[in-house]
Amino acid sequence: MADSNVHGIGGLTFDQKKRSWPNEMNVFIALIAIIAIFEILGQVLPYMNGQSLLFDTQGRFDSIFNEARLKIIILQVSIIGIIAIGSTQVIISGGIDLSPGSIVGLTAMIAMSFAQTALVNGNPNPKAIFGDWAMDLPVIVPVAVALLCGMIAGFINGFLIATTRIPPFIATLGMMVAARGAAKWWSKGRPISFPTDEFSSIGNGLSGWAPVVIFVGLAVLFHFILKFTVYGKHTYAIGSNEDAARMSGIKVNHHKVLVYTIAGMLAGLSALVLASKNLTAQAGMGVMYELDAIAMTVIGGVSLAGGRGSIVGTVLGALIFGVIISGFTYLRLDAYYQEMVKGVIIVAAVVLDQWRQRRAANMA
């Protein structure tokens, strides 16, 4: 009598005990658990007076949820989440990118220079960078400038990594320092403000939900790209085993340049949304954004060893990130605790990833 567990060619056996649900499910469960912890703390801590993190306990909204806090949580992760989508692809391909935060600062300064309005309260713009030729330009101009700046920076990262074979950590660290310096040089450290209404609507449109719509739209787009296109298959293949990918005919160097260029473009888009939302650009914008983006990806289950992860996991990781930050504010804890917890979470997520890899190797 044939063994019902034998399947496929060569009599290979399928062990039911080795079945596991998607890693994204683990991340989702972690998200629910973290929300539950904050809800419990809100009920048991005396000074919280039975407040809730996500639910409306005071009848201020039309639904059972605390809509104001939900909006804050989602908005505060959406701009960095755009960067995290690019970081996800870089890390899956076996690389790392430390430059997005500085690219945000530089791109915001340059893009805002082409988004200024000529008159402020009937007077000439006091923060004008260029002459009349750069005032009141169509919104497509600063948008194109922002995307182009991000793509150029990302291309330089990818080109250096692919052609010189220097570690991604070093190449992107150099870009991080250089781009931040260029951002400070661009207007001699002065902020650039007073954009056109069309430009400000990029980050403030749809009743303030525009950054979220952009983030979700990009997440859906790149989820399908990574899952169903040749680009996605090559990205995973290079991250899993670069030598094997090269031997199978994949143009590894070309693909790395493409991955970093896309990541740079997304950083430029993030700068565009941030500058338009804040109605100003400053050289210090985007500080630590690259680490927050990496934290979102690692929390979401993207392996720093490359070859494994997903956009869905990164989105869930971004939500966990937002809930933790908002939860600390909700519990009225000092801001520096947030930085300490971020570090602990990143280390814990990496340790968990290493444990999963060893466990998978032992079960193979």
Side-chain angles (χ1 to χ4, degrees):
M1 181 176 174
D3 186 350
S4 60
N5 286 329
V6 175
H7 303 280
I9 299 174
L12 297 178
T13 60
F14 176 71
D15 189 350
Q16 295 283 347
K17 296 179 181 179
K18 294 184 180 180
R19 293 185 63 185
S20 61
W21 54 22
N23 184 60
E24 291 81 4
M25 183 60 69
N26 295 326
V27 181
F28 179 73
I29 292 173
L31 173 62
I32 299 301
I34 291 171
I35 293 174
I37 290 171
F38 280 119
E39 293 291 347
I40 293 171
L41 290 175
Q43 300 300 315
V44 301
L45 293 177
Y47 68 88
M48 293 300 296
N49 298 319
Q51 296 182 47
S52 172
L53 175 64
L54 296 183
F55 298 95
D56 180 18
T57 58
Q58 300 178 3
R60 294 174 296 173
F61 304 103
D62 296 332
S63 66
I64 63 172
F65 294 103
N66 187 330
E67 297 174 1
R69 182 168 284 121
L70 281 172
K71 184 175 182 179
I72 290 173
I73 291 174
I74 298 173
L75 280 174
Q76 71 183 358
V77 302
S78 59
I79 293 177
I80 302 178
I82 295 172
I83 298 174
I85 293 173
S87 297
T88 299
Q89 298 170 69
V90 169
I91 296 173
I92 289 175
S93 71
I96 196 73
D97 191 354
L98 300 180
S99 64
S102 296
I103 293 175
V104 166
L106 176 59
T107 301
M109 297 291 283
I110 297 176
M112 184 64 81
S113 301
F114 295 93
Q116 292 184 288
T117 183
L119 299 176
V120 179
N121 297 325
N123 299 311
N125 191 329
K127 295 183 180 295
I129 297 298
F130 301 119
D132 293 339
W133 66 271
M135 298 296 179
D136 294 315
L137 294 173
V139 70
I140 189 62
V141 174
V143 170
V145 167
L147 296 179
L148 181 61
C149 285
M151 291 175 66
I152 291 173
F155 175 84
I156 293 173
N157 282 336
F159 182 80
L160 288 174
I161 292 166
T163 58
T164 68
R165 303 296 179 89
I166 61 177
F169 181 91
I170 300 300
T172 58
L173 178 63
M175 177 59 71
M176 179 182 76
V177 177
R180 186 64 67 188
K184 295 175 181 177
W185 165 82
W186 182 257
S187 65
K188 303 302 185 289
R190 298 190 302 271
I192 305 174
S193 306
F194 307 117
T196 62
D197 292 338
E198 291 79 9
F199 183 81
S200 64
S201 66
I202 295 174
N204 295 286
L206 302 176
S207 300
W209 286 97
V212 178
V213 173
I214 294 172
F215 171 49
V216 173
L218 288 170
V220 172
L221 172 64
F222 280 99
H223 168 73
F224 282 99
I225 288 175
L226 282 179
K227 194 174 181 63
F228 299 110
T229 68
V230 173
Y231 168 84
K233 291 178 173 61
H234 287 184
T235 302
Y236 281 102
I238 292 171
S240 297
N241 191 320
E242 183 174 324
D243 291 334
R246 184 175 283 107
M247 292 177 65
S248 66
I250 297 174
K251 296 181 179 179
V252 173
N253 289 343
H254 288 79
H255 193 83
K256 284 184 177 181
V257 173
L258 178 59
V259 169
Y260 280 93
T261 301
I262 290 174
M265 180 190 68
L266 291 173
L269 178 58
S270 178
L272 186 71
V273 176
L274 179 63
S276 63
K277 182 173 180 58
N278 292 345
L279 306 180
T280 187
Q282 300 181 25
M285 279 182 164
V287 173
M288 299 292 288
Y289 275 20
E290 62 278 343
L291 297 184
D292 288 347
I294 292 172
M296 290 177 181
T297 62
V298 173
I299 293 170
V302 178
S303 175
L304 288 175
R308 191 173 75 250
S310 70
I311 298 295
V312 173
T314 295
V315 171
L316 292 172
L319 292 176
I320 289 177
F321 193 87
V323 167
I324 290 174
I325 300 303
S326 184
F328 273 67
T329 303
Y330 154 76
L331 295 177
R332 305 171 199 171
L333 297 178
D334 293 325
Y336 51 77
Y337 286 117
Q338 297 178 12
E339 304 299 327
M340 296 165 63
V341 170
K342 285 181 190 178
V344 172
I345 290 174
I346 293 172
V347 173
V350 173
V351 170
L352 179 61
D353 175 63
Q354 295 296 316
W355 175 80
R356 283 199 304 258
Q357 290 187 56
R358 288 194 298 268
R359 184 170 178 266
N362 293 333
M363 293 176 62

